Amino acid sequence: MKKLIYIPISAVIILFYLQALWIRNMHQNYCVQLTQSIDQAITSSIIKELELRTYSPYKNPNNPKLIYKHAEEMSSEERKRLKGDTINLDMLAKKNISTNIAEAIMQIQQDICINKKQFIQMARLDSIFKKRLYDIKIKYCILLYDKDTTIIQKAGDILPLDDHKIKETKLYPLGTRCLQFIQVKAIIPLTSFLTDMFLIIIESILLTIIILGYVIFLVITIHKKDKLFKRREASVNGTIHDLKSPLNSIITLMSFIKKKVPDIHTQQLVENTERQARKLVNEIEALLITARKDRQKVYLQKEETDLVLLVTEVAQEVSMQHSHQPHQIKMESELNELNLMLDPLYVRNVIRNLVENALKYSDDGVQIIIRISKKETQAIFTVKDNGWGIAPKYKKKIFTPFFQVPREQMAHQRGYGIGLAYTKYIIEAHGGNISVESIPGKGSLFICKFPLK
């Protein structure tokens, strides 16, 4: 549960980080859009100022009109009589002076005005620019540079020109000879962004708070459920553990009665009762070990054990207990004996689980083949059957505690979902591993590997 606390904390940190990143990106996009608006405003203002300067009512009415034609549209006679300027759009585009004929003509008009000493009127440009900004609230200044980019004039607000917060437009050339340039430098205040984006930011913050509230509520709920689950688990484990004492007493009593009763039939009945009681004790032990495996490591009492003999004994016991079900168990071993350091009690339960599962999840007449072999540094024990098999999607899940492969209702009730989880845990505690190969309808093969040393 302590580790679970880090999940919501991490989620909150990530959430606030993403929120801050989103607002930052929004502010950057806002600044870019506003800069583009300033670009458009100053461009149109320069054009408007040129129109007022060129076509003012005080200009000479005898001034010639400006007429332009494409070279392809002119006759040879017109070209000979040509006294105007020729325009090379490609060259002007390379110098970032103009990109189309309209801009080129405007730049030629700027050249004409500069030659006539009709220089740009900064105060008028500033007035036009303010109108073009509409409701955009910024502090700015319009700068006029000479060809060496030295400031000649400026209009607008006085700004600290070296401030890193200042956004600036590109240099707009006045004329084709690039003798003068116009540039706008502006400060885009954060308050302007917050005002324009107020509703969106508030909605985003509220959404973040709601998500954070749900995360906190979820953590509190999980914490309560976890405490309740631990209490129930402790109660159930204690109850299950307490069942072992009366069962052990029954086993002891059955052993005593078996020795005292002379009747063979009664002895067999008592022996069967004792066997069932021992089986129940083993299932209780498996349940407790499986339930506690994440918190309490199993303690193995290893001793030199003949795996071949152990498997043979368990197979015979299981075969006798399931004599009512038609079946066949076949032993195939490459070795007469195979001594390993094992905990015989736990490994006996492992073998029993695998063989009993082969009987449980099969129809009558099932054939079970048990093989024992040795390969390099491992002892290999396999149990193969021709039973119902396991679908591929359940192969990994079958070793999960309390998981049962979905089957028909009667078949589903034959197990508790503990045996294979217990088996895997015990084999891995011995340093080995278990795997399964299965085809639905054709049977399963469980492969157990133990280290030789």
Side-chain angles (χ1 to χ4, degrees):
M1 184 61 196
K2 290 182 179 179
K3 293 182 179 179
L4 191 63
I5 295 297
Y6 293 113
I7 296 176
I9 292 175
S10 302
V12 170
I13 293 172
I14 293 171
L15 193 62
F16 277 111
Y17 172 76
L18 293 176
Q19 180 78 18
L21 188 64
W22 177 79
I23 293 176
R24 177 176 172 271
N25 291 337
M26 289 285 292
H27 181 254
Q28 289 178 344
N29 292 334
Y30 177 81
C31 291
V32 169
Q33 292 175 2
L34 209 55
T35 303
Q36 291 174 350
S37 299
I38 293 171
D39 276 329
Q40 294 172 0
I42 191 62
T43 302
S44 62
S45 299
I46 292 172
I47 295 172
K48 182 64 177 178
E49 192 280 335
L50 177 63
E51 290 176 356
L52 294 174
R53 186 163 24 114
T54 306
Y55 301 105
S56 67
Y58 305 104
K59 74 180 184 70
N60 189 347
N62 297 320
N63 281 344
K65 293 182 179 179
L66 187 64
I67 301 172
Y68 69 89
K69 281 187 177 182
H70 287 287
E72 294 81 1
E73 299 175 353
M74 298 175 68
S75 64
S76 56
E77 289 78 8
E78 286 178 315
R79 292 184 183 181
K80 290 179 182 178
R81 296 196 305 269
L82 181 65
K83 295 181 180 180
D85 293 327
T86 57
I87 301 172
N88 188 334
L89 284 178
D90 292 336
M91 182 189 69
L92 294 178
K94 288 180 181 178
K95 292 183 178 181
N96 295 321
I97 295 173
S98 64
T99 58
N100 54 59
I101 190 68
E103 290 181 1
I105 292 172
M106 184 195 74
Q107 296 292 21
I108 291 173
Q109 289 176 325
Q110 292 282 12
D111 288 336
I112 294 172
C113 289
I114 291 172
N115 290 336
K116 292 181 177 181
K117 308 298 182 182
Q118 295 177 354
F119 299 110
I120 190 169
Q121 300 296 314
M122 294 295 289
R124 181 160 54 188
L125 178 64
D126 179 44
S127 176
I128 297 169
F129 180 66
K130 282 182 179 178
K131 293 179 181 178
R132 292 286 191 276
L133 289 178
Y134 299 108
D135 57 347
I136 299 175
K137 305 298 181 183
I138 58 171
K139 290 184 178 181
Y140 69 91
C141 67
I142 305 174
L143 303 175
L144 177 64
Y145 297 93
D146 62 11
K147 62 181 180 179
D148 298 320
T149 63
T150 302
I151 298 175
I152 304 173
Q153 295 182 50
K154 64 180 178 178
D157 303 313
I158 298 175
L159 295 173
L161 301 180
D162 58 345
D163 195 324
H164 69 281
K165 296 180 180 179
I166 288 181
K167 306 294 180 182
E168 56 185 37
T169 64
K170 66 179 182 179
L171 292 171
Y172 294 94
L174 300 179
T176 59
R177 291 173 293 175
C178 299
L179 298 177
Q180 294 181 339
F181 298 90
I182 288 290
Q183 185 183 47
V184 176
K185 292 190 175 184
I187 292 179
I188 303 175
L190 183 61
T191 53
S192 176
F193 164 73
L194 295 176
T195 301
D196 291 349
M197 307 298 292
F198 179 76
L199 289 177
I200 296 177
I201 293 174
I202 291 297
E203 289 173 1
S204 176
I205 292 173
L206 287 175
L207 181 61
T208 302
I209 292 173
I210 291 171
I211 294 173
L212 180 60
Y214 275 119
V215 170
I216 294 173
F217 173 75
L218 184 62
V219 171
I220 293 173
T221 303
I222 291 174
H223 180 66
K224 290 180 179 178
K225 295 289 185 182
D226 183 68
K227 288 177 67 176
L228 181 61
F229 174 76
K230 285 181 177 179
R231 290 197 203 101
R232 290 178 179 177
E233 186 181 34
S235 177
V236 171
N237 288 344
T239 303
I240 293 173
H241 187 271
D242 291 342
L243 288 174
K244 291 175 64 178
S245 296
L247 286 172
N248 286 327
S249 299
I250 292 173
I251 292 170
T252 304
L253 180 60
M254 291 298 106
S255 298
F256 177 76
I257 294 174
K258 184 173 62 175
K259 293 178 182 179
K260 297 295 183 179
V261 175
D263 183 56
I264 297 176
H265 179 72
T266 305
Q267 286 181 356
Q268 291 177 348
L269 185 61
V270 171
E271 186 177 348
N272 183 57
T273 304
E274 181 185 359
R275 190 185 300 116
Q276 293 297 328
R278 290 186 185 278
K279 180 182 177 182
L280 189 55
V281 169
N282 290 336
E283 289 181 353
I284 290 172
E285 185 68 24
L287 177 60
L288 289 173
I289 290 174
T290 304
R292 295 173 179 172
K293 71 174 187 177
D294 294 330
R295 301 184 305 277
Q296 184 176 335
K297 188 176 180 181
V298 65
Y299 177 70
L300 300 177
Q301 294 182 343
K302 292 184 179 180
E303 58 184 65
E304 189 172 332
T305 305
D306 183 357
L307 182 61
V308 176
L309 179 60
L310 189 62
V311 171
T312 304
E313 290 177 353
V314 175
Q316 289 175 354
E317 290 176 6
V318 174
S319 182
M320 289 177 61
Q321 291 174 8
H322 292 264
S323 57
H324 59 280
Q325 178 184 355
H327 67 274
Q328 182 182 357
I329 298 178
K330 184 179 179 182
M331 282 285 300
E332 294 182 358
S333 176
E334 300 174 359
L335 309 164
N336 293 326
E337 64 177 22
L338 180 56
N339 292 318
L340 305 173
M341 293 303 295
L342 305 171
D343 186 315
L345 176 62
Y346 286 134
V347 175
R348 178 182 289 272
N349 290 339
V350 165
I351 300 167
R352 180 183 295 276
N353 282 336
L354 293 175
V355 178
E356 285 188 342
N357 279 352
L359 288 166
K360 284 179 184 178
Y361 304 108
S362 303
D363 295 322
D364 291 344
V366 59
Q367 294 182 349
I368 302 171
I369 300 174
I370 302 173
R371 290 191 177 94
I372 300 174
S373 61
K374 183 170 65 172
K375 184 178 181 181
E376 297 178 354
T377 60
Q378 290 182 320
I380 303 173
F381 158 62
T382 66
V383 177
K384 182 179 180 182
D385 64 69
N386 59 349
W388 300 337
I390 302 166
K393 62 181 177 180
Y394 299 126
K395 284 184 181 179
K396 291 183 179 179
K397 295 182 180 179
I398 59 174
F399 296 105
T400 304
F402 308 108
F403 175 80
Q404 292 178 277
V405 175
R407 303 185 191 277
E408 295 178 1
Q409 185 176 3
M410 291 304 295
H412 183 74
Q413 293 176 349
R414 295 191 182 186
Y416 304 100
I418 300 171
L420 288 177
Y422 170 84
T423 298
K424 182 175 184 291
Y425 180 54
I426 295 300
I427 292 176
E428 290 180 350
H430 280 83
N433 61 78
I434 182 171
S435 59
V436 61
E437 298 174 4
S438 184
I439 300 175
K442 294 187 178 181
S444 304
L445 172 65
F446 284 88
I447 305 166
C448 307
K449 298 179 180 179
F450 292 95
L452 291 176
K453 295 183 181 180

